[in-house]
Amino acid sequence: MGTLKIWLSLMVFMIWADNALLNAEQHIPTTLEGPFEPVTRRFDHSLRRGSDDLPMYHPKLTKKVPSIFPEQIALAISSPTSMWVSWVTGDAQIGPKVTPLDPSTVGSEVWFGKESGKYTSVQRGMSTVYSQLYPFDGLLNYTSGIIHHVRIEDAMDVGTATGSSVQLLKLSDCQGCPDEVDEFSLFLSVGLEHDTRYYYKCGDSSLSAMSNEHFFRTFPLPSADSYPHRIAVVGDLGLTSNTSTTIDHLIRNDPSMLLMVGDLTYANQYLTTGTKGASCFSCAFPDAPIRETYQPRWDGWGRFMEPVTSRIPMMVIEGNHEIEPQAGGITFESYRARFSVPSQESGSQSSFYYSFNAGGIHFIMLGAYVDYNTTGAQYAWLQEDLHRLDRNVTPWLVAAWHPPWYNSYSSHYQEFECMRQEMEALLYQYGVDIVFAGHVHAYERMNRVYNYSLDPCGPIYITIGDGGNIEKVDVDHADDPRKCPSPGDNLPEFGGVCHLNLSSKATFCWDKQPEWSAFRESSFGHGILEVVNSTYALWTWHRNQDIYKEESHGDQIYIVRQPHLCLTNSKQSP
């Protein structure tokens, strides 16, 4: 009997120990347990630091429709009750002499409805072309296909015009539209229904050149109780084999929105002939009077991304690889022409910075390559946007821009210290919860920090510039022996050079991983943000090497808001 008791006790203990171990393995930390001791997971040398770009003849990059049919279809949020639909028709041209296409030759229509094949509304938009010009011997010029942008919201037949919000739509060729609609009808825009699936086609019905049917789901209305399903976050994506793995992995995680934090195509890594050029942005082309770019990479990228962007909205912000200077000092021409962003809807006069709501989350997208000084237009817009914010309606405040303010890697170390010094105090005053950035080709999550000091009311900064680009993953840290850059190494493409007041610091670089850096790892991947309620949000970083491992990831934490402890200037209940 004594032996049996001992055996039973041992079995009970083993079961308890197994359960305790299982629970420990399943435990997801929260920011309430922080600040955390800094952790570095070194680069796994069994992996490659990078991969080659996909060639332009790769099936994911080639054109698959006739010239007048839509391709590169992409969605973007306009407002809680409207959506942007963008696409490209026609053939781009590249050569010593190019002639821009006439946008008026192809219409911009979107037919949509709540049942497949039954389109109860049609809306029209605008179209444009852009050129990338290098009037120098030996360099080729480029002019785009016709880029279409249509802002869709639902429509109600009102019979006669009563105001400026009423639109005149020609529907005689609209296959699938209601039979009772006359050739010309007057419609009043009433907004899309929230949290609803819509089916749509885009193109020009008069040319019988409409796309296949696609669908999207609208977001819940701004509310403390309603949030998007999942939000994917990617930076510095490019068009490599690693990029392809990142996007495949992202699709498996089934997001409802994609936040793209700059450096999209890396088209400026190529000469105008399409051959590989510089290996880094700061490198100069020795034989060219201007840094070149191969614009067809943009078209390939749009085709590559269409399986994602035609179904879920992609919200973008510009990075340094989107600058693309051309003749006459013109910059960002491709970025501005290709993407619709809710700048006017959010009171911004620039596509370089804007805001939008997705359920109970307010997103602020800031431009690091335009004026960010306290005396500038962007700062004034940001103040007004934050002042209008009601945290009882949108409790979560998430910001994004391309270059990180907090970064312990050697690459781009303190490069945008000027921007931090200009804007950080304002974001802190209004209680920003999370900040996403890219630029550094690695992953890093910070403890809550403000002005380089641990602060329980500071944001959680996350660097996610590891989408897969051709410049390879960054592996060196500023605190590694002999890896500290000199103060003049990382010069920004925009703005001046600012450095910390070193009176309280012994050296320019820390001699170990800084206390504000909670976790860092050099791997390619993407992130998923899942907001649970007005207090908790689950953040998961998915590494590319874990794509076929169920429930495997590189980093995971619950980000917890504490509005009762951190008084802000935002309007919110005590």
Side-chain angles (χ1 to χ4, degrees), residues 56-267:
M56 287 300 297
Y57 56 79
H58 191 281
K60 291 184 177 182
L61 277 61
T62 55
K63 191 167 186 173
K64 299 176 178 62
V65 296
S67 179
I68 60 172
F69 279 78
E71 62 159 0
Q72 305 178 48
I73 301 169
L75 302 170
I77 296 172
S78 171
S79 75
T81 57
S82 58
M83 191 78 72
W84 283 105
V85 184
S86 302
W87 67 93
V88 179
T89 58
D91 296 317
Q93 304 165 49
I94 189 164
K97 295 181 180 180
V98 293
T99 303
L101 298 175
D102 180 359
S104 67
T105 58
V106 181
S108 307
E109 303 172 23
V110 178
W111 308 349
F112 58 102
K114 288 181 283 186
E115 293 185 50
S116 177
K118 296 183 179 179
Y119 310 112
T120 57
S121 298
V122 179
Q123 289 192 336
R124 288 179 172 162
M126 53 83 66
S127 58
T128 187
V129 298
Y130 79 93
S131 297
Q132 189 81 12
L133 302 177
Y134 303 106
F136 308 106
D137 290 340
L139 303 188
L140 304 181
N141 297 307
Y142 170 93
T143 187
S144 71
I146 300 171
I147 302 169
H148 305 259
H149 302 289
V150 177
R151 183 176 184 263
I152 64 170
E153 42 194 2
D154 221 340
M156 176 177 63
D157 192 347
V158 296
T160 59
T162 58
S164 59
S165 62
V166 178
Q167 304 175 31
L168 181 65
L169 302 178
K170 185 176 186 296
L171 303 178
S172 57
D173 297 313
C174 179
Q175 302 166 6
C177 288
D179 293 336
E180 64 270 17
V181 175
D182 297 328
E183 181 174 358
F184 289 95
S185 292
L186 292 165
F187 283 79
L188 177 67
S189 296
V190 295
L192 301 174
E193 293 184 23
H194 65 277
D195 199 19
T196 300
R197 175 176 282 200
Y198 282 87
Y199 298 85
Y200 74 97
K201 290 184 175 184
C202 58
D204 185 341
S205 60
S206 69
L207 300 177
S208 298
M210 299 296 291
S211 71
N212 292 330
E213 183 178 83
H214 300 277
F215 66 87
F216 63 86
R217 177 171 288 277
T218 56
F219 287 98
L221 292 174
S223 163
D225 301 318
S226 300
Y227 297 94
H229 170 56
R230 285 176 181 161
I231 297 167
V233 188
V234 180
D236 302 68
L237 190 60
L239 267 177
T240 67
S241 297
N242 280 314
T243 304
S244 190
T245 303
T246 296
I247 295 302
D248 288 347
H249 202 172
L250 182 151
I251 291 172
R252 287 166 63 98
N253 283 323
D254 189 28
S256 53
M257 188 185 94
L258 172 56
L259 193 69
M260 184 73 68
V261 293
D263 283 4
L264 283 65
T265 69
Y266 289 81

Side-chain angles (χ1 to χ4, degrees), residues 27-34 36 223-231 358 360-361 391 394-398 433-434 448 460 528-540 556-565:
H27 172 70
I28 300 174
T30 77
T31 53
L32 298 178
E33 300 167 40
F36 300 94
S223 163
D225 301 318
S226 300
Y227 297 94
H229 170 56
R230 285 176 181 161
I231 297 167
I361 313 170
R391 302 297 283 274
T394 51
W396 286 88
L397 180 53
V398 177
D433 298 302
I434 309 170
R448 292 193 179 276
I460 296 292
I528 295 288
L529 180 68
E530 301 173 77
V531 177
V532 179
N533 53 39
S534 62
T535 305
Y536 278 76
L538 179 63
W539 167 254
T540 307
Q556 191 170 53
I557 190 169
Y558 278 107
I559 298 173
V560 184
R561 300 182 61 246
Q562 295 182 281
H564 57 290
L565 295 180

Side-chain angles (χ1 to χ4, degrees), residues 265-277:
T265 69
Y266 289 81
N268 69 340
Q269 296 297 75
Y270 289 81
L271 307 177
T272 61
T273 57
T275 56
K276 187 70 173 67

Side-chain angles (χ1 to χ4, degrees), residues 374-386:
T374 56
T375 57
Q378 179 175 199
Y379 192 91
W381 166 83
L382 177 60
Q383 280 184 309
E384 180 60 27
D385 188 83
L386 292 170

